[in-house]
Amino acid sequence: MLEITDTNKFGKVTAAALAKVELTVTDAQNKKRWVNAIAKGVVEIEANGAFMTYDEKDNYLVIWSQKSNEVYSANGVCQCKAFGRGMACWHRAAARLVRLYLELPENKKPAFAAQKETKEIPYLPNTREPVRVEKYGSVRLPVYN
Ligand SMILES: [Zn+2]
């Protein structure tokens, strides 16, 4: 299940991707294919995000295509016919859009931020004596006044 929570930011990522194609793809035919692939990728993410999932560890988008009933895992490569013919495909375009969107600093998993903060907090020595020890399940915790 892939859900784009901030469609405004996703729109900006899409605009940046289109601008990059405009600036870096010189072949007119290839440029047109990538622009179409990006547009189709956006539509598919919005309509069929329920049939997609993003693997953040290995950076690829798993797509269960509702049209072909095939499962594609796309990042720089894909298993579809278009990729087999060396052409742009919406699977790769969508994978790149999702990756760029998830890499926005505000979309990083809170776990990363929490981990970093915890490391910076020094352990303070305990200078107080507990009044008693209470047991919570299998954990014994000191109780202070
Ligand atoms: Zn593909």
Side-chain angles (χ1 to χ4, degrees), residues 25-49:
V25 181
T26 47
D27 176 66
Q29 191 66 22
N30 200 22
K31 185 180 283 188
K32 195 179 160 197
R33 285 198 180 111
W34 273 116
V35 169
N36 289 340
I38 291 168
K40 175 120 200 279
V42 171
V43 170
E44 289 287 338
I45 288 167
E46 281 172 5
N48 295 315

PDB file of all heavy atoms in Angstrom, residues 25-49:
ATOM      1  N   VAL A  25      17.351  15.202 -21.409  1.00  0.00           N
ATOM      2  CA  VAL A  25      17.101  14.266 -22.518  1.00  0.00           C
ATOM      3  C   VAL A  25      17.089  15.046 -23.825  1.00  0.00           C
ATOM      4  O   VAL A  25      16.259  15.928 -24.023  1.00  0.00           O
ATOM      5  CB  VAL A  25      15.764  13.507 -22.317  1.00  0.00           C
ATOM      6  CG1 VAL A  25      15.539  12.514 -23.459  1.00  0.00           C
ATOM      7  CG2 VAL A  25      15.754  12.782 -20.974  1.00  0.00           C
ATOM      8  N   THR A  26      18.036  14.717 -24.688  1.00  0.00           N
ATOM      9  CA  THR A  26      18.192  15.516 -25.911  1.00  0.00           C
ATOM     10  C   THR A  26      17.346  14.973 -27.068  1.00  0.00           C
ATOM     11  O   THR A  26      16.859  15.747 -27.885  1.00  0.00           O
ATOM     12  CB  THR A  26      19.676  15.562 -26.341  1.00  0.00           C
ATOM     13  OG1 THR A  26      20.208  14.238 -26.291  1.00  0.00           O
ATOM     14  CG2 THR A  26      20.480  16.455 -25.413  1.00  0.00           C
ATOM     15  N   ASP A  27      17.173  13.651 -27.125  1.00  0.00           N
ATOM     16  CA  ASP A  27      16.396  13.054 -28.212  1.00  0.00           C
ATOM     17  C   ASP A  27      14.906  13.360 -28.027  1.00  0.00           C
ATOM     18  O   ASP A  27      14.323  13.036 -26.989  1.00  0.00           O
ATOM     19  CB  ASP A  27      16.649  11.543 -28.215  1.00  0.00           C
ATOM     20  CG  ASP A  27      15.804  10.834 -29.260  1.00  0.00           C
ATOM     21  OD1 ASP A  27      16.036  11.089 -30.451  1.00  0.00           O
ATOM     22  OD2 ASP A  27      14.902  10.069 -28.867  1.00  0.00           O
ATOM     23  N   ALA A  28      14.294  13.985 -29.013  1.00  0.00           N
ATOM     24  CA  ALA A  28      12.905  14.466 -28.886  1.00  0.00           C
ATOM     25  C   ALA A  28      11.923  13.328 -28.629  1.00  0.00           C
ATOM     26  O   ALA A  28      11.020  13.455 -27.797  1.00  0.00           O
ATOM     27  CB  ALA A  28      12.507  15.236 -30.139  1.00  0.00           C
ATOM     28  N   GLN A  29      12.125  12.205 -29.328  1.00  0.00           N
ATOM     29  CA  GLN A  29      11.226  11.058 -29.175  1.00  0.00           C
ATOM     30  C   GLN A  29      11.328  10.468 -27.764  1.00  0.00           C
ATOM     31  O   GLN A  29      10.324  10.170 -27.115  1.00  0.00           O
ATOM     32  CB  GLN A  29      11.599  10.001 -30.229  1.00  0.00           C
ATOM     33  CG  GLN A  29      10.589   8.878 -30.376  1.00  0.00           C
ATOM     34  CD  GLN A  29       9.252   9.362 -30.933  1.00  0.00           C
ATOM     35  OE1 GLN A  29       9.181  10.409 -31.587  1.00  0.00           O
ATOM     36  NE2 GLN A  29       8.207   8.627 -30.646  1.00  0.00           N
ATOM     37  N   ASN A  30      12.571  10.327 -27.324  1.00  0.00           N
ATOM     38  CA  ASN A  30      12.831   9.789 -25.989  1.00  0.00           C
ATOM     39  C   ASN A  30      12.288  10.734 -24.912  1.00  0.00           C
ATOM     40  O   ASN A  30      11.723  10.300 -23.903  1.00  0.00           O
ATOM     41  CB  ASN A  30      14.345   9.593 -25.829  1.00  0.00           C
ATOM     42  CG  ASN A  30      14.672   8.613 -24.718  1.00  0.00           C
ATOM     43  OD1 ASN A  30      13.849   7.789 -24.344  1.00  0.00           O
ATOM     44  ND2 ASN A  30      15.876   8.728 -24.198  1.00  0.00           N
ATOM     45  N   LYS A  31      12.445  12.018 -25.140  1.00  0.00           N
ATOM     46  CA  LYS A  31      11.939  13.027 -24.209  1.00  0.00           C
ATOM     47  C   LYS A  31      10.424  12.888 -24.057  1.00  0.00           C
ATOM     48  O   LYS A  31       9.890  12.853 -22.948  1.00  0.00           O
ATOM     49  CB  LYS A  31      12.286  14.429 -24.723  1.00  0.00           C
ATOM     50  CG  LYS A  31      11.905  15.550 -23.775  1.00  0.00           C
ATOM     51  CD  LYS A  31      12.261  16.915 -24.342  1.00  0.00           C
ATOM     52  CE  LYS A  31      13.745  17.203 -24.223  1.00  0.00           C
ATOM     53  NZ  LYS A  31      14.081  18.594 -24.602  1.00  0.00           N
ATOM     54  N   LYS A  32       9.736  12.747 -25.195  1.00  0.00           N
ATOM     55  CA  LYS A  32       8.280  12.609 -25.187  1.00  0.00           C
ATOM     56  C   LYS A  32       7.863  11.355 -24.417  1.00  0.00           C
ATOM     57  O   LYS A  32       6.908  11.380 -23.639  1.00  0.00           O
ATOM     58  CB  LYS A  32       7.791  12.536 -26.645  1.00  0.00           C
ATOM     59  CG  LYS A  32       6.305  12.754 -26.798  1.00  0.00           C
ATOM     60  CD  LYS A  32       5.898  12.685 -28.258  1.00  0.00           C
ATOM     61  CE  LYS A  32       4.420  12.408 -28.361  1.00  0.00           C
ATOM     62  NZ  LYS A  32       4.044  11.945 -29.703  1.00  0.00           N
ATOM     63  N   ARG A  33       8.621  10.262 -24.617  1.00  0.00           N
ATOM     64  CA  ARG A  33       8.299   9.006 -23.919  1.00  0.00           C
ATOM     65  C   ARG A  33       8.432   9.162 -22.405  1.00  0.00           C
ATOM     66  O   ARG A  33       7.609   8.668 -21.651  1.00  0.00           O
ATOM     67  CB  ARG A  33       9.222   7.885 -24.409  1.00  0.00           C
ATOM     68  CG  ARG A  33       8.837   7.376 -25.787  1.00  0.00           C
ATOM     69  CD  ARG A  33       9.456   6.010 -26.048  1.00  0.00           C
ATOM     70  NE  ARG A  33       9.091   5.530 -27.374  1.00  0.00           N
ATOM     71  CZ  ARG A  33       9.967   5.420 -28.378  1.00  0.00           C
ATOM     72  NH1 ARG A  33      11.235   5.726 -28.216  1.00  0.00           N
ATOM     73  NH2 ARG A  33       9.558   4.990 -29.556  1.00  0.00           N
ATOM     74  N   TRP A  34       9.498   9.838 -21.973  1.00  0.00           N
ATOM     75  CA  TRP A  34       9.702   9.996 -20.524  1.00  0.00           C
ATOM     76  C   TRP A  34       8.657  10.925 -19.903  1.00  0.00           C
ATOM     77  O   TRP A  34       8.188  10.676 -18.804  1.00  0.00           O
ATOM     78  CB  TRP A  34      11.121  10.488 -20.201  1.00  0.00           C
ATOM     79  CG  TRP A  34      12.075   9.343 -20.086  1.00  0.00           C
ATOM     80  CD1 TRP A  34      13.148   9.078 -20.887  1.00  0.00           C
ATOM     81  CD2 TRP A  34      12.024   8.273 -19.128  1.00  0.00           C
ATOM     82  NE1 TRP A  34      13.757   7.910 -20.486  1.00  0.00           N
ATOM     83  CE2 TRP A  34      13.088   7.393 -19.410  1.00  0.00           C
ATOM     84  CE3 TRP A  34      11.177   7.957 -18.064  1.00  0.00           C
ATOM     85  CZ2 TRP A  34      13.342   6.245 -18.668  1.00  0.00           C
ATOM     86  CZ3 TRP A  34      11.429   6.808 -17.330  1.00  0.00           C
ATOM     87  CH2 TRP A  34      12.490   5.968 -17.625  1.00  0.00           C
ATOM     88  N   VAL A  35       8.294  11.970 -20.634  1.00  0.00           N
ATOM     89  CA  VAL A  35       7.253  12.873 -20.127  1.00  0.00           C
ATOM     90  C   VAL A  35       5.938  12.105 -19.961  1.00  0.00           C
ATOM     91  O   VAL A  35       5.263  12.205 -18.928  1.00  0.00           O
ATOM     92  CB  VAL A  35       7.078  14.100 -21.060  1.00  0.00           C
ATOM     93  CG1 VAL A  35       5.822  14.887 -20.697  1.00  0.00           C
ATOM     94  CG2 VAL A  35       8.310  15.007 -20.985  1.00  0.00           C
ATOM     95  N   ASN A  36       5.625  11.276 -20.966  1.00  0.00           N
ATOM     96  CA  ASN A  36       4.409  10.452 -20.873  1.00  0.00           C
ATOM     97  C   ASN A  36       4.506   9.431 -19.746  1.00  0.00           C
ATOM     98  O   ASN A  36       3.524   9.176 -19.048  1.00  0.00           O
ATOM     99  CB  ASN A  36       4.157   9.723 -22.204  1.00  0.00           C
ATOM    100  CG  ASN A  36       3.699  10.676 -23.297  1.00  0.00           C
ATOM    101  OD1 ASN A  36       3.223  11.773 -23.016  1.00  0.00           O
ATOM    102  ND2 ASN A  36       3.865  10.272 -24.547  1.00  0.00           N
ATOM    103  N   ALA A  37       5.705   8.855 -19.570  1.00  0.00           N
ATOM    104  CA  ALA A  37       5.911   7.844 -18.518  1.00  0.00           C
ATOM    105  C   ALA A  37       5.713   8.476 -17.136  1.00  0.00           C
ATOM    106  O   ALA A  37       5.091   7.878 -16.256  1.00  0.00           O
ATOM    107  CB  ALA A  37       7.306   7.237 -18.638  1.00  0.00           C
ATOM    108  N   ILE A  38       6.231   9.680 -16.964  1.00  0.00           N
ATOM    109  CA  ILE A  38       6.072  10.377 -15.676  1.00  0.00           C
ATOM    110  C   ILE A  38       4.595  10.682 -15.420  1.00  0.00           C
ATOM    111  O   ILE A  38       4.069  10.428 -14.337  1.00  0.00           O
ATOM    112  CB  ILE A  38       6.928  11.668 -15.634  1.00  0.00           C
ATOM    113  CG1 ILE A  38       8.422  11.303 -15.585  1.00  0.00           C
ATOM    114  CG2 ILE A  38       6.553  12.546 -14.437  1.00  0.00           C
ATOM    115  CD1 ILE A  38       9.370  12.467 -15.828  1.00  0.00           C
ATOM    116  N   ALA A  39       3.919  11.183 -16.458  1.00  0.00           N
ATOM    117  CA  ALA A  39       2.498  11.515 -16.314  1.00  0.00           C
ATOM    118  C   ALA A  39       1.686  10.270 -15.965  1.00  0.00           C
ATOM    119  O   ALA A  39       0.841  10.291 -15.068  1.00  0.00           O
ATOM    120  CB  ALA A  39       1.982  12.146 -17.605  1.00  0.00           C
ATOM    121  N   LYS A  40       1.972   9.168 -16.658  1.00  0.00           N
ATOM    122  CA  LYS A  40       1.251   7.910 -16.394  1.00  0.00           C
ATOM    123  C   LYS A  40       1.580   7.403 -14.991  1.00  0.00           C
ATOM    124  O   LYS A  40       0.702   6.911 -14.274  1.00  0.00           O
ATOM    125  CB  LYS A  40       1.626   6.864 -17.448  1.00  0.00           C
ATOM    126  CG  LYS A  40       1.034   5.490 -17.190  1.00  0.00           C
ATOM    127  CD  LYS A  40       0.132   5.048 -18.327  1.00  0.00           C
ATOM    128  CE  LYS A  40      -0.831   3.951 -17.938  1.00  0.00           C
ATOM    129  NZ  LYS A  40      -0.373   2.631 -17.912  1.00  0.00           N
ATOM    130  N   GLY A  41       2.852   7.547 -14.600  1.00  0.00           N
ATOM    131  CA  GLY A  41       3.276   7.119 -13.258  1.00  0.00           C
ATOM    132  C   GLY A  41       2.496   7.844 -12.172  1.00  0.00           C
ATOM    133  O   GLY A  41       2.034   7.223 -11.212  1.00  0.00           O
ATOM    134  N   VAL A  42       2.321   9.146 -12.336  1.00  0.00           N
ATOM    135  CA  VAL A  42       1.575   9.944 -11.348  1.00  0.00           C
ATOM    136  C   VAL A  42       0.125   9.459 -11.270  1.00  0.00           C
ATOM    137  O   VAL A  42      -0.419   9.238 -10.185  1.00  0.00           O
ATOM    138  CB  VAL A  42       1.627  11.447 -11.705  1.00  0.00           C
ATOM    139  CG1 VAL A  42       0.678  12.248 -10.824  1.00  0.00           C
ATOM    140  CG2 VAL A  42       3.051  11.976 -11.572  1.00  0.00           C
ATOM    141  N   VAL A  43      -0.487   9.265 -12.432  1.00  0.00           N
ATOM    142  CA  VAL A  43      -1.886   8.807 -12.479  1.00  0.00           C
ATOM    143  C   VAL A  43      -2.017   7.439 -11.807  1.00  0.00           C
ATOM    144  O   VAL A  43      -2.924   7.211 -11.005  1.00  0.00           O
ATOM    145  CB  VAL A  43      -2.388   8.742 -13.945  1.00  0.00           C
ATOM    146  CG1 VAL A  43      -3.735   8.046 -14.032  1.00  0.00           C
ATOM    147  CG2 VAL A  43      -2.480  10.148 -14.529  1.00  0.00           C
ATOM    148  N   GLU A  44      -1.078   6.530 -12.116  1.00  0.00           N
ATOM    149  CA  GLU A  44      -1.140   5.174 -11.557  1.00  0.00           C
ATOM    150  C   GLU A  44      -0.939   5.180 -10.040  1.00  0.00           C
ATOM    151  O   GLU A  44      -1.593   4.439  -9.322  1.00  0.00           O
ATOM    152  CB  GLU A  44      -0.078   4.279 -12.220  1.00  0.00           C
ATOM    153  CG  GLU A  44      -0.398   3.930 -13.663  1.00  0.00           C
ATOM    154  CD  GLU A  44      -1.543   2.926 -13.792  1.00  0.00           C
ATOM    155  OE1 GLU A  44      -1.821   2.185 -12.834  1.00  0.00           O
ATOM    156  OE2 GLU A  44      -2.158   2.897 -14.876  1.00  0.00           O
ATOM    157  N   ILE A  45      -0.010   6.021  -9.564  1.00  0.00           N
ATOM    158  CA  ILE A  45       0.225   6.103  -8.114  1.00  0.00           C
ATOM    159  C   ILE A  45      -1.041   6.588  -7.413  1.00  0.00           C
ATOM    160  O   ILE A  45      -1.449   6.055  -6.385  1.00  0.00           O
ATOM    161  CB  ILE A  45       1.426   7.027  -7.805  1.00  0.00           C
ATOM    162  CG1 ILE A  45       2.739   6.339  -8.201  1.00  0.00           C
ATOM    163  CG2 ILE A  45       1.455   7.404  -6.316  1.00  0.00           C
ATOM    164  CD1 ILE A  45       3.939   7.272  -8.223  1.00  0.00           C
ATOM    165  N   GLU A  46      -1.685   7.579  -8.002  1.00  0.00           N
ATOM    166  CA  GLU A  46      -2.899   8.114  -7.379  1.00  0.00           C
ATOM    167  C   GLU A  46      -4.056   7.119  -7.434  1.00  0.00           C
ATOM    168  O   GLU A  46      -4.798   6.960  -6.475  1.00  0.00           O
ATOM    169  CB  GLU A  46      -3.306   9.429  -8.059  1.00  0.00           C
ATOM    170  CG  GLU A  46      -2.469  10.596  -7.563  1.00  0.00           C
ATOM    171  CD  GLU A  46      -2.690  11.881  -8.346  1.00  0.00           C
ATOM    172  OE1 GLU A  46      -3.576  11.913  -9.227  1.00  0.00           O
ATOM    173  OE2 GLU A  46      -1.966  12.845  -8.078  1.00  0.00           O
ATOM    174  N   ALA A  47      -4.198   6.427  -8.571  1.00  0.00           N
ATOM    175  CA  ALA A  47      -5.345   5.529  -8.741  1.00  0.00           C
ATOM    176  C   ALA A  47      -5.110   4.141  -8.161  1.00  0.00           C
ATOM    177  O   ALA A  47      -6.028   3.526  -7.636  1.00  0.00           O
ATOM    178  CB  ALA A  47      -5.682   5.415 -10.235  1.00  0.00           C
ATOM    179  N   ASN A  48      -3.867   3.642  -8.268  1.00  0.00           N
ATOM    180  CA  ASN A  48      -3.597   2.248  -7.893  1.00  0.00           C
ATOM    181  C   ASN A  48      -2.500   2.097  -6.846  1.00  0.00           C
ATOM    182  O   ASN A  48      -1.822   1.069  -6.809  1.00  0.00           O
ATOM    183  CB  ASN A  48      -3.230   1.430  -9.146  1.00  0.00           C
ATOM    184  CG  ASN A  48      -4.390   1.322 -10.109  1.00  0.00           C
ATOM    185  OD1 ASN A  48      -5.523   1.057  -9.696  1.00  0.00           O
ATOM    186  ND2 ASN A  48      -4.125   1.554 -11.380  1.00  0.00           N
ATOM    187  N   GLY A  49      -2.337   3.108  -6.015  1.00  0.00           N
ATOM    188  CA  GLY A  49      -1.337   3.036  -4.943  1.00  0.00           C
ATOM    189  C   GLY A  49      -1.548   1.835  -4.035  1.00  0.00           C
ATOM    190  O   GLY A  49      -0.607   1.328  -3.430  1.00  0.00           O
TER     191      GLY A  49
END
